[in-house]
Structures are given as structure tokens and as C-alpha cells.
Amino acid sequence: DPIRTNEVNVTGTLNLLEACRKNKVPRVVLASSSSVYGNVEADVKHEGLGLDPCSPYAAQKLATETLAKVYTGTMGVGTIPLRYFNVFGPYQDPQSDYAAVSPAFVHRMLRGQSPVIFGDGLQSRDFTFVGDVVAANIAAMNAPDSACGRPYNIACGHRTSLLDLVEQLNRVLVTSLAPEHQDGRAGDVKHSLADISRAKEVLSWQPQVSFEEGLRRTVEWI
């Protein structure tokens, strides 16, 4: 039940923050999501934008960010929410509801099946390699206390359409499979591209793995 899962995630975050307050834990790094931006009209998503979550998943991520901000501002728990943009890489479950499309496409294409695109395929994503996300979490843990209480975009900083993704995978896999298009899904965000300047400046972090290299590593692992 997705609604129940989202409820548990919000309650779990509250319990965690309260336990950290009681035990004087100095730092909590939260996994948030680019989905909190929703379809807000902006070519590039930066942390100063208004937020317009379009799904229960996005709403619960925003709720946990709000809890984190309150605990930093009034209860002395240093929190840093990281807004991940379309994480992908080795060990990702292609069946997961929260997985990027990359592993799902690769698994189908390796079986000679067309990748399934919901919509026209012109929707774009800022795909972020998992190794860079790990590095961002470490940077957040080691950042100065002044970094706490604000969210940070964690992304590659480049936009790739789903049609471009299929084209690149065809090159890597040496295939020529055309995508299968199905109806678009409610709550899907049309475009996603991150401004990562705040993370670079405050967390001293920046991505090291390009989308093309990350895709090659992912295909190699699968």
C-alpha cells in the first residue's frame, strides 16, 4: 500500500529526529528527492523555488524535509536534506517503484525487448550516478554546522530525454530497438534538471561521473 508506506516514512523520520534530539546526535543526513519540485515552471530546479509535489511519494519527502528544518531551527539537531535526482547505477532493482528507468530499460533490451516509455519520450531527467550520491552523503556528514537546515540538489547537472537514453543504450548494447510507447502516468514530472551550485559551494561536492560513463558501468554490471 503506497499510502501506508508514505505514512510510515514520515512517522519514521519524526521518530528518528526525536531520538537524535534526546541523544544529542549532532548530524542527520536525509534522503529527499527532486520530486518535491513537481512540475513547477522553471527550466532549472534550484532550492529557492516554490515546491509543487504531484504524488504521495513527493508529498512525504517534502514533509520529512519540513520536519528536519524544524528540528534544526528549534531543537538543535543538525539536518541536511539531499534532493536526489534520478539515481542510477549497479545493484539497482529494475522492479522497484523508485528505480530510475535506466536499469529497467537495460534489462528489457538485453532480452531483445523494446524499452517501455510512458508518454512521448520527450520527458527529460537529470540522471545521477550512485557513486556521486554516496560522495554527496559523505560530504554532507563532514560539512560545517552552517550547512544545516537547508536542502541541497544532488545531480549531474545535465538533462537527458528518455528517447536519448534509448539511443545511448542501443549504442552501448549494439542493438537497434525502438521504444514501445504507452499512455503517460499521472504524477510524472515532465522535465528535471538541477542547479547544483549550492552543493558545490557549501558541501564542497560535485559529480565526478558523467551520465555516459555511469551508463556504461551500469550496463557492464548488469
Side-chain angles (χ1 to χ4, degrees):
D1 182 352
I3 300 300
R4 176 59 179 159
T5 299
N6 291 324
E7 178 185 348
V8 168
N9 287 342
V10 174
T11 304
T13 300
L14 176 59
N15 291 339
L16 174 67
L17 291 170
E18 182 60 16
C20 290
R21 181 190 69 80
K22 290 179 178 178
N23 291 280
K24 302 187 186 306
V25 174
R27 177 70 51 84
V28 179
V29 179
L30 289 93
S32 187
S33 167
S34 61
S35 64
V36 298
Y37 292 109
N39 280 311
V40 62
E41 293 187 7
D43 290 336
V44 181
K45 308 292 176 62
H46 62 82
E47 296 91 344
L49 288 173
L51 304 176
D52 184 26
C54 299
S55 67
Y57 171 77
Q60 65 96 349
K61 286 298 186 183
L62 180 55
T64 60
E65 281 195 19
T66 303
L67 287 170
K69 182 178 180 180
V70 169
Y71 267 78
T72 295
T74 64
M75 301 186 185
V77 180
T79 62
I80 298 182
L82 301 181
R83 292 175 177 169
Y84 304 153
F85 280 67
N86 296 92
V87 183
F88 75 101
Y91 296 96
Q92 191 169 30
D93 180 3
Q95 305 302 321
S96 170
D97 292 337
Y98 302 108
V101 296
S102 306
F105 281 13
V106 173
H107 278 267
R108 286 187 63 86
M109 294 172 75
L110 283 172
R111 297 195 297 266
Q113 300 173 335
S114 294
V116 176
I117 291 179
F118 296 96
D120 57 16
L122 297 178
Q123 60 265 49
S124 60
R125 298 290 180 263
D126 194 335
F127 293 104
T128 312
F129 188 65
V130 64
D132 284 329
V133 173
V134 172
N137 278 267
I138 294 172
M141 286 189 286
N142 294 322
D145 289 342
S146 58
C148 294
R150 294 187 292 167
Y152 297 84
N153 289 338
I154 303 301
C156 190
H158 297 282
R159 176 184 291 167
T160 303
S161 76
L162 298 190
L163 292 178
D164 288 338
L165 171 59
V166 173
E167 183 179 338
Q168 291 194 47
L169 283 174
N170 272 319
R171 286 200 296 268
V172 173
L173 296 169
V174 194
T175 54
S176 56
L177 294 164
E180 173 189 330
H181 291 270
Q182 297 184 9
D183 291 340
R185 298 181 294 189
D188 273 358
V189 174
K190 187 65 176 177
H191 297 294
S192 183
L193 174 63
D195 177 346
I196 55 176
S197 56
R198 178 185 286 184
K200 288 181 177 180
E201 178 182 352
V202 180
L203 303 182
S204 300
W205 168 90
Q206 62 181 356
Q208 301 296 319
V209 181
S210 68
F211 174 61
E212 292 78 9
E213 173 62 18
L215 199 61
R216 185 193 65 77
R217 294 186 192 182
T218 302
V219 169
E220 186 178 81
W221 179 84
I222 293 174

